[in-house]
Amino acid sequence: ASPAQTLALANRDIFTDLDERTFVTVFYALLDTRTRSLRFSRAGHEPLILYNPDRSPTLSVLDSKGMALGMDEGPAFEQSIEEVEVTLRPGDLVLQYTDGITEAMNAKNEPFGHDRLYAVLEEHGRHEAEYVLWRIEKAVEAFRGREPRRDDMTMIALKVLA
């Protein structure tokens, strides 16, 4: 029932299986569609982005504290993990992504970055989630040009319709 507690249990469970150079970033959320409540915790993963032209500000980075799984066996991890809850409203677009999106590099060895991602959301966030994801993908591909992918690029989005 608690994203923070779930991540703490997962961390304790996998800590002994990982070597000291290995860690796992995780974003874990529970969505209650009845109350439109989204509760989440993140363990070293990218923060959640919320976009809605009817909110002020229109784009918010919803961050929570938490270190990656496997970095500490228990006490420090459990003290660092934070749970955040947001009530979603009609028009909200929620985006979660891996760092392969913002760290995609062009031929000049420049990263795509958060500002370019935010600009795509500001321009296209009024549309349905699938279209927004497609626009982000196309923006990253255009920015990268012929440069190869260096990391996975994973995204998930949801849109509150009514």
Side-chain angles (χ1 to χ4, degrees):
S2 164
Q5 289 176 351
T6 301
L7 291 179
L9 288 169
N11 181 65
R12 272 189 251 132
D13 190 43
I14 70 168
F15 182 82
T16 56
D17 295 332
L18 302 176
D19 63 40
E20 56 196 36
R21 296 181 325 266
T22 306
F23 61 89
V24 179
T25 67
V26 178
F27 178 88
Y28 183 66
L30 297 172
L31 174 63
D32 184 331
T33 56
R34 186 180 45 80
T35 64
R36 294 187 177 160
S37 167
L38 182 69
R39 280 189 304 139
F40 68 90
S41 292
R42 58 180 205 97
H45 201 69
E46 293 293 318
L48 190 70
I49 300 175
L50 174 67
Y51 173 81
N52 187 333
D54 295 330
R55 284 188 184 258
S56 182
T58 58
L59 189 141
S60 299
V61 177
L62 304 179
D63 207 352
S64 67
K65 296 175 185 155
M67 68 174 64
L69 274 63
M71 297 182 75
D72 174 78
E73 188 170 6
F77 180 89
E78 291 172 16
Q79 289 176 352
S80 77
I81 198 79
E82 180 182 23
E83 193 167 293
V84 173
E85 185 169 349
V86 61
T87 301
L88 300 176
R89 302 190 323 211
D92 282 350
L93 175 81
V94 178
L95 175 71
Q96 181 49 247
Y97 59 97
T98 60
D99 61 5
I101 299 294
T102 52
E103 294 176 2
M105 302 296 254
N106 66 11
K108 296 177 185 176
N109 211 30
E110 299 168 327
F112 183 74
H114 292 96
D115 288 342
R116 286 182 181 88
L117 176 60
Y118 301 156
V120 174
L121 288 170
E122 290 282 358
E123 184 176 353
H124 302 288
R126 298 175 200 280
H127 300 285
E128 69 269 4
E130 184 177 6
Y131 179 75
V132 174
L133 293 174
W134 180 77
R135 292 304 302 219
I136 295 169
E137 181 182 1
K138 293 302 173 196
V140 172
E141 285 177 4
F143 177 80
R144 241 184 46 240
R146 295 184 181 267
E147 290 300 304
R149 285 187 183 184
R150 299 179 185 171
D151 200 355
D152 74 289
M153 296 193 329
T154 306
M155 300 178 285
I156 186 170
L158 66 90
K159 182 83 174 230
V160 181
L161 300 177

